[in-house]
């Protein structure tokens, strides 16, 4: 059974293989923090999932805005015109 750094490295590799690179980088970062062993389980899970979830939501929103063919930029959604109302 792997322990310590070897286990973390294997988990990071597995997360990368699953295309969860943000989660892999977060786990590696958390592991190298001085207080890693003091983090409670739920906080650890939240800190692992949170950034990956935000990246997924952001990518989904960006893709939907691209597919919508709105006039204007995502930063100015109030100025966007629906594609069926454009000239």
């Amino acid at each position: 059974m792997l322990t310590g750094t070897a286990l973390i490295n294997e988990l990071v590799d597995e997360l990368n293989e699953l295309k969860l690179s943000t989660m892999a980088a977060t786990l590696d970062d958390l592991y190298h923090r001085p207080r890693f062993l003091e983090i409670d389980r739920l906080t650890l899970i939240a800190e692992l999932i949170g950034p990956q979830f935000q990246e997924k939501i952001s990518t989904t929103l960006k893709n939907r805005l691209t597919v919508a063919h709105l006039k204007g930029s995502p930063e100015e959604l109030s100025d966007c015109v629906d594609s069926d109302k454009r000239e």
Side-chain angles (χ1 to χ4, degrees):
M1 176 179 230
L2 296 175
T3 59
T5 304
L7 178 58
I8 292 295
N9 289 339
E10 184 173 309
L11 290 172
V12 167
D13 290 343
E14 289 173 359
L15 288 168
N16 281 319
E17 184 70 26
L18 292 170
K19 298 185 181 356
L20 297 170
S21 58
T22 302
M23 195 178 288
T26 302
L27 176 60
D28 190 52
D29 178 57
L30 287 170
Y31 179 71
H32 288 95
R33 289 184 186 173
R35 296 183 172 231
F36 174 72
L37 295 175
E38 297 172 16
I39 301 173
D40 68 270
R41 292 177 180 123
L42 287 177
T43 301
L44 179 63
I45 291 169
E47 291 207 23
L48 280 174
I49 294 173
Q52 188 73 50
F53 177 77
Q54 289 300 321
E55 180 182 315
K56 172 70 174 165
I57 295 300
S58 176
T59 301
T60 299
L61 178 60
K62 187 188 310 180
N63 289 341
R64 287 180 181 173
L65 287 171
T66 301
V67 171
H69 300 293
L70 300 173
K71 182 180 177 185
S73 66
E75 293 80 23
E76 302 171 10
L77 286 176
S78 61
D79 296 333
C80 291
V81 178
D82 196 336
S83 59
D84 67 340
K85 296 179 184 172
R86 282 189 273 160
E87 295 177 13

